[in-house]
Amino acid sequence: MSPTPAKPGGTRIPSRRTVLRGAFTAAVVTGTAGALFPLLDRDPAATARPAPAPGPGSGSWATAEEFAEMYRGREIRGTATVVPAGAPADDRVAVAAEPVTEIRIDGRPLHVMRRADGTYLSDVRHYESYPTLLETARAAVDELGTARLAPPAAHHM
């Protein structure tokens, strides 16, 4: 391999291999940064908090989150209700309250699951979780675009 030719002023012209190597390195760094940015850009204060449990001795349900709004021309409604799980299993262990969630987009139900860390994910956007039901519903509307949710399937027993 011959050395890189020099310009008349005495400076060397970079070889094609050097230019391609630099371009490839820049592309890899840019792609990695783009992929990691959403993870590193999260606001720690916006992390999800579990729904508050009802107070001691209260046998009633407590609404942890409730919303109704028009978003991008779609009506979204949702609630997260904490249902008391009942009496303690024994004298030492109390059963935790469990939140029941419901989201409707244009009147049709969107299946939502609550993760162990308190965030939510839906059938429409099941690869990403969101700290609140409202953000979950908005992300589903964004993903759906002009499409509608399928009507709920009839359950036969």
Side-chain angles (χ1 to χ4, degrees):
M1 185 168 172
S2 64
T4 306
K7 284 184 173 180
T11 59
R12 294 188 169 246
I13 301 171
S15 69
R16 179 173 183 252
R17 179 177 293 188
T18 303
V19 171
L20 289 175
R21 186 180 297 148
F24 176 76
T25 303
V28 168
V29 169
T30 303
T32 303
L36 293 178
F37 182 74
L39 298 174
L40 301 175
D41 190 44
R42 287 194 177 165
D43 182 13
T47 56
R49 292 167 188 82
S58 83
S60 63
W61 296 8
T63 301
E65 183 178 354
E66 186 173 8
F67 60 89
E69 73 173 26
M70 290 298 289
Y71 178 73
R72 296 194 177 193
R74 309 294 283 275
E75 179 188 21
I76 56 175
R77 294 179 178 273
T79 58
T81 307
V82 178
V83 179
D90 66 14
D91 290 339
R92 297 170 293 165
V93 179
V95 179
E98 180 178 329
V100 175
T101 59
E102 179 183 36
I103 292 179
R104 291 189 172 271
I105 299 174
D106 294 333
R108 293 188 176 184
L110 171 67
H111 184 229
V112 178
M113 297 158 278
R114 186 168 175 111
R115 295 174 39 127
D117 64 357
T119 60
Y120 298 96
L121 56 94
S122 71
D123 280 349
V124 175
R125 295 284 306 244
H126 57 273
Y127 292 112
E128 190 170 352
S129 58
Y130 300 91
T132 66
L133 278 178
L134 180 58
E135 290 181 42
T136 306
R138 287 177 177 169
V141 168
D142 291 341
E143 187 71 22
L144 285 170
T146 59
R148 291 181 47 117
L149 285 172
H155 295 288
H156 299 288
M157 295 202 178

